[in-house]
Amino acid sequence: MSETARDAEAVSRFVESFAAQLVEAGMTRMPARVFAALLSSDEGSMTSAELGEQLRISPAAVSGAVRYLAQTHMVSREREPGSRRERYRVHGDQWYEALTNREALIKRWEGALREGVASLGASTPAGRRMAETLAFFEFVEGEVSAMMERWRVHRQQIFGDQDL
C-alpha cells in the first residue's frame, strides 16, 4: 500500500502513540516524534520540510531532534543527489546500532568504576558497592554482545540480505 493510500489521521495517531512510548522509556519528546515519523514512512526517509509538515513543528525543532537521533545512531543524514537538501533516514538495523553505541558507553563506565573501586578500596562498603556495580555492567556487556550475535543470525534467517 502506498503512503498516499494511507489514512493520514491513523498514521498521525500511531506516530504520537509510539513517540509517547519512547518518551516513557526516556527519549526526549521531539526526537521521539521525528523517529516515529521516519519509522512509519515507507521510504524510511524524509526531508526536514516533510518532517516539519507532518509533525507540525519548526525547522529548528526538526534540526535539534535529528542531531540527537544522529548522535545516538538512530538515523543517518543523506544528501539528495543534485540538491543541497538532506534526507534523514532510519534503517532496519537502527536498534542494533543504538545498542552497539550503548556498549561503548558501558565500557567507559566500567573504566570509571574500576578507578572507583581502586580509589575507595575493594574492602570498604563503598568499594564493594562500586565493585558490584562494575560486575553488573560487565555482565550486561557480555549479555548484550551475545544477544547481538544471536540477533544477526535471527535477522538473517527472517529477512535475508534485504535492507529494511
Side-chain angles (χ1 to χ4, degrees):
M1 176 190 290
S2 72
E3 286 195 350
T4 56
R6 289 183 182 182
D7 177 351
E9 190 59 37
V11 171
S12 180
R13 281 192 307 272
F14 164 76
V15 166
E16 296 305 324
S17 171
F18 188 58
Q21 298 286 327
L22 293 172
V23 168
E24 226 174 275
M27 187 182 281
T28 54
R29 184 171 183 266
M30 205 54 65
R33 292 181 73 214
V34 168
F35 180 75
L38 287 167
L39 193 62
S40 67
S41 74
D42 278 342
E43 295 82 14
S45 72
M46 299 171 84
T47 65
S48 178
E50 290 167 339
L51 284 163
E53 183 180 328
Q54 179 179 335
L55 299 172
R56 296 181 185 99
I57 59 176
S58 70
V62 171
S63 178
V66 168
R67 186 176 324 108
Y68 170 84
L69 292 167
Q71 287 172 346
T72 58
H73 304 280
M74 302 227 16
V75 302
S76 61
R77 299 172 191 251
E78 301 173 351
R79 281 263 185 233
E80 284 190 343
S83 170
R84 292 177 47 167
R85 288 192 322 179
E86 286 186 326
R87 293 191 73 77
Y88 307 110
R89 176 173 301 283
V90 65
H91 298 278
D93 64 351
Q94 76 274 352
W95 299 112
Y96 175 86
E97 290 296 326
L99 274 176
T100 300
N101 187 43
R102 295 288 187 256
E103 242 183 315
L105 180 62
I106 289 172
K107 282 191 176 295
R108 289 196 307 268
W109 289 348
E110 288 174 1
L113 288 164
R114 277 188 196 88
E115 285 180 31
V117 171
S119 298
L120 296 166
S123 61
T124 67
R128 282 192 303 274
R129 207 171 27 255
M130 196 76 53
E132 184 176 344
T133 302
L134 172 59
F136 171 77
F137 283 116
E138 289 171 337
F139 174 81
V140 166
E141 180 190 357
E143 291 298 305
V144 168
S145 294
M147 180 182 64
M148 297 314 285
E149 182 54 38
R150 289 190 311 271
W151 165 247
R152 282 189 289 274
V153 170
H154 183 73
R155 183 182 188 277
Q156 177 67 31
Q157 291 170 346
I158 294 173
F159 299 106
D161 291 330
Q162 78 187 60
D163 185 26
L164 302 176

